[in-house]
Amino acid sequence: MDRKELALQLHHSKFNCAQSVACAFANVMGYDPQTVFKMSEAFGFGMGNMGTCGAVSGMAVVIGMMKSDGNLDNPKTKKQCYSLMKEAIEKFEQKNKSIICKEIKGVETGEVLRSCDGCIEDAVAILDELLL
């Protein structure tokens, strides 16, 4: 099973969008799925208010966990993480026209731009492209 299929399987098992994306990369990040699940739970449903898409937040979790040096005394990887996240967001916006959950879901316009499954697939593909 590839990472996209795994992420969709997780989403269909009641993981939120952020958890589905992040947990699909748990083994690559070197963390157990339960830790990643807990770490990313509050990012679902657009951080609980249909703000930033959970799939986008899941990308942020993966990028941070894979690219941060974890140096508490003298962190040197922030610029690299910010740059990768900026690129990930740009790619996601090109595909979906927004990174805001309620815009993607068409809450105010009635025009659904993309399904949650589609956003999850896009986020996983973007991470695969940028990180692996």
Side-chain angles (χ1 to χ4, degrees):
M1 172 180 318
D2 71 17
R3 231 181 304 286
K4 279 187 196 177
E5 292 170 336
L6 173 59
L8 290 178
Q9 180 183 50
L10 296 173
H11 192 241
H12 298 163
S13 300
K14 300 188 181 181
F15 285 43
N16 69 37
C17 295
Q19 290 167 321
S20 299
V21 171
C23 287
F25 286 84
N27 64 330
V28 179
M29 293 187 295
Y31 291 90
D32 67 278
Q34 184 177 25
T35 298
V36 178
F37 180 91
K38 290 170 70 174
M39 176 188 331
S40 53
E41 188 160 346
F43 293 109
F45 194 62
M47 295 188 203
N49 70 352
M50 296 193 88
T52 301
C53 169
V56 172
S57 296
M59 289 194 302
V61 169
V62 174
I63 288 170
M65 294 304 288
M66 289 184 68
K67 294 300 179 178
S68 174
D69 61 14
N71 187 334
L72 301 180
D73 296 322
N74 188 19
K76 295 180 179 165
T77 52
K78 288 188 285 186
K79 286 183 182 180
Q80 179 186 14
C81 286
Y82 299 161
S83 176
L84 276 170
M85 194 62 211
K86 180 180 182 215
E87 188 174 353
I89 285 172
E90 288 169 355
K91 289 178 179 296
F92 190 90
E93 283 181 318
Q94 286 171 359
K95 293 178 180 233
N96 299 294
K97 301 181 186 165
S98 181
I99 64 165
I100 305 302
C101 179
K102 69 179 164 184
E103 292 175 6
I104 295 168
K105 297 287 129 219
V107 170
E108 295 171 356
T109 64
E111 179 190 355
V112 176
L113 303 175
R114 192 85 160 119
S115 67
C116 289
D117 281 354
C119 289
I120 290 166
E121 288 176 321
D122 293 341
V124 170
I126 290 165
L127 288 171
D128 277 338
E129 178 186 338
L130 293 178
L131 300 175
L132 304 179

